[in-house]
Amino acid sequence: MSSIAELTESLRAFASERNWEQFHTPKNLAMALAGEVGELLAEFQWLTPEQSAAVMQDPDLGPRVRAEIGDVTIYLVRLADTLGIDLVEAAVDKLAEAGRRYTVEAARDSAAKIGQL
């Protein structure tokens, strides 16, 4: 499986086979997503910038980070599907908006927010 569409269909089938659609409300999925993001953040807590950049080389942390990113992805894809949002289209639209707000000339080499540029 290599596409978001295929993953979406697999997750939809997984939930349907278990009759979980009743629990997969936008609110519940958003809350589950937030919880999984928190678990991902916990794996990075207290790491130095250098350690965080090399996390996938760590034999203990790397697999945990990968698993948490998997959980985050599952809930994000399921939430988007439940709301009828095309994830790729939403991301492309958001990137285009960011490009208009953060022009290369204004934002290059700066981490400032748009109001600070």
Side-chain angles (χ1 to χ4, degrees):
M1 183 176 337
S2 62
S3 75
I4 290 177
E6 290 171 326
L7 178 59
T8 299
E9 191 56 42
S10 293
L11 292 171
R12 192 181 296 148
F14 187 91
S16 178
E17 290 164 355
R18 290 155 181 80
N19 195 30
W20 285 355
E21 294 96 336
Q22 61 186 318
F23 309 117
H24 286 190
T25 64
K27 177 198 72 82
N28 287 350
L29 291 167
M31 292 177 71
L33 174 60
E36 293 300 338
V37 169
E39 291 179 21
L40 176 60
L41 289 172
E43 296 296 342
F44 287 92
Q45 189 173 13
W46 312 122
L47 297 181
T48 65
E50 296 77 21
Q51 289 169 323
S52 70
V55 74
M56 295 311 295
Q57 283 70 53
D58 185 298
D60 295 321
L61 280 175
R64 294 199 318 250
V65 166
R66 185 178 188 278
E68 293 306 337
I69 287 176
D71 287 339
V72 167
T73 303
I74 286 169
Y75 281 115
L76 179 61
V77 169
R78 188 73 182 118
L79 176 60
D81 184 40
T82 301
L83 292 171
I85 295 170
D86 180 308
L87 274 176
V88 173
E89 185 179 298
V92 167
D93 290 349
K94 190 66 179 179
L95 182 59
E97 177 188 331
R100 288 187 297 275
R101 293 177 66 207
Y102 294 93
T103 64
V104 172
E105 299 78 22
R108 185 165 182 85
D109 293 323
S110 174
K113 291 281 198 177
I114 191 67
Q116 300 168 334
L117 290 175

